[in-house]
């Protein structure tokens, strides 16, 4: 089954404790992206990757890091999480360029205390 | 860069009536316009999309129209049902640019 898998689905942690949210897709998609979703603010892109070893900032990259060492994986790293990073996070992937459907993971709800 | 505005932010309609959500975009080079539905606590899912060489596309009770001159596109849902209650997002992208620019979302409420 074609899918985007995120882990963990839920995480409660404390300020300053490094964490990684993993994302993996099995569709051989070149393009992958991370979004955060906050009430009333819609989907805001954090980082995206056009292919292996190619990443770029989205609209809200501060406080986040990403890497793309393999085509299928695109982890999101919070080196020193803060409460304002409490949010619902989605990973997404898409084949090739712009006008292709984007597939989302089931989301990760992060709470930073 | 591209900017997408979506209206209304909340839409309440009687079950069985039609619902229309509108989006405007700023970049005339945009050529792909998807619509996503997000049910409470779930991931956004593509419900319909349209490319700039087409003016209208239908899929059962859902249709999308595109006016390239005016730079706006709309989602039409006919004969609304309780399961249509969700948040709907529009987006726009340019083929040569990997970015999807998103609208802020519309919460659709279907009243019984």
């Amino acid at each position: 089954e074609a899918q985007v898998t995120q882990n963990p689905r839920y995480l409660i942690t404390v300020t300053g404790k490094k964490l990684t949210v993993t994302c993996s897709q099995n569709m051989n998609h070149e393009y992958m992206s991370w979004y955060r979703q906050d009430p009333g603010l819609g989907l805001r892109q954090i980082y995206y990757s056009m292919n292996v070893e190619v990443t770029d900032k989205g609209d809200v990259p501060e406080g986040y890091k990403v890497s793309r060492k393999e085509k299928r994986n695109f982890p999101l790293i919070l080196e020193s999480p803060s409460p304002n990073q409490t949010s619902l996070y989605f990973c997404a992937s898409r084949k090739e360029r712009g006008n292709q459907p984007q597939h989302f993971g089931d989301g990760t709800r992060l709470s930073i205390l | 860069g591209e900017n997408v505005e979506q209206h209304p932010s909340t839409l309440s309609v009687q079950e069985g009536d039609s619902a229309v959500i509108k989006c405007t975009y700023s970049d005339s080079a945009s050529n792909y316009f998807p619509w996503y539905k997000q049910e409470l606590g779930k991931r956004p899912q593509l419900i319909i999309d349209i490319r700039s060489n087409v003016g209208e596309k239908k899929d059962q009770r859902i249709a999308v129209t595109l006016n390239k001159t005016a730079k706006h596109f709309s989602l039409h849902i006919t004969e609304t049902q309780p399961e249509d209650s969700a948040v709907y997002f529009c987006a726009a992208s340019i083929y040569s640019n990997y970015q999807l620019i998103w609208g802020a979302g519309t919460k659709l409420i279907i009243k019984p």
Side-chain angles (χ1 to χ4, degrees):
Chain A
E1 180 190 352
Q3 59 186 4
V4 178
T5 303
Q6 295 179 229
N7 280 295
R9 293 290 315 282
Y10 305 91
L11 179 63
I12 301 173
T13 188
V14 296
T15 299
K17 186 177 180 181
K18 181 180 178 179
L19 68 90
T20 299
V21 185
T22 63
C23 175
S24 180
Q25 51 93 6
N26 62 359
M27 295 168 279
N28 201 36
H29 286 169
E30 291 81 10
Y31 180 89
M32 297 185 74
S33 179
W34 276 103
Y35 295 90
R36 62 177 288 173
Q37 186 174 36
D38 303 289
L41 296 177
L43 290 160
R44 294 185 292 168
Q45 191 176 54
I46 303 170
Y47 270 95
Y48 63 97
S49 170
M50 292 175 282
N51 215 323
V52 176
E53 301 292 1
V54 182
T55 63
D56 207 348
K57 296 177 181 179
D59 300 317
V60 288
E62 294 78 21
Y64 304 95
K65 284 176 58 177
V66 293
S67 68
R68 188 90 181 274
K69 295 186 172 63
E70 306 166 281
K71 198 172 187 179
R72 64 182 293 126
N73 296 322
F74 189 45
L76 179 69
I77 303 157
L78 285 71
E79 293 270 4
S80 183
S82 62
N84 64 11
Q85 292 177 299
T86 292
S87 187
L88 177 59
Y89 292 83
F90 287 101
C91 180
S93 73
R94 184 177 74 213
K95 185 175 175 157
E96 295 179 352
R97 293 191 168 188
N99 48 3
Q100 298 290 337
Q102 191 156 193
H103 301 262
F104 285 84
D106 286 330
T108 295
R109 187 166 292 281
L110 283 184
S111 294
I112 316 294
L113 304 177
Chain B
E2 175 66 285
N3 181 52
V4 176
E5 293 189 356
Q6 184 172 348
H7 299 280
S9 56
T10 304
L11 177 60
S12 183
V13 302
Q14 205 70 38
E15 182 179 348
D17 288 351
S18 295
V20 181
I21 302 170
K22 298 180 180 180
C23 288
T24 60
Y25 60 98
S26 58
D27 192 332
S28 56
S30 292
N31 59 3
Y32 175 62
F33 308 92
W35 285 90
Y36 284 78
K37 175 183 180 182
Q38 186 179 26
E39 297 177 3
L40 190 62
K42 298 194 175 180
R43 59 190 166 98
Q45 291 194 285
L46 180 75
I47 54 171
I48 196 166
D49 58 9
I50 191 168
R51 291 167 174 77
S52 59
N53 58 346
V54 175
E56 183 177 6
K57 184 176 178 180
K58 288 183 180 178
D59 183 2
Q60 300 182 332
R61 295 186 298 107
I62 292 172
V64 56
T65 58
L66 171 64
N67 183 325
K68 287 166 51 181
T69 303
K71 289 190 280 187
H72 67 70
F73 56 110
S74 299
L75 177 71
H76 305 254
I77 305 174
T78 59
E79 300 174 2
T80 53
Q81 301 170 3
E83 54 264 37
D84 295 328
S85 293
V87 178
Y88 291 81
F89 291 97
C90 65
S93 80
I94 306 170
Y95 183 78
S96 60
N97 173 326
Y98 283 81
Q99 296 292 78
L100 261 182
I101 307 302
W102 295 84
T106 296
K107 183 176 183 179
L108 177 62
I109 301 166
I110 308 300
K111 297 181 290 186

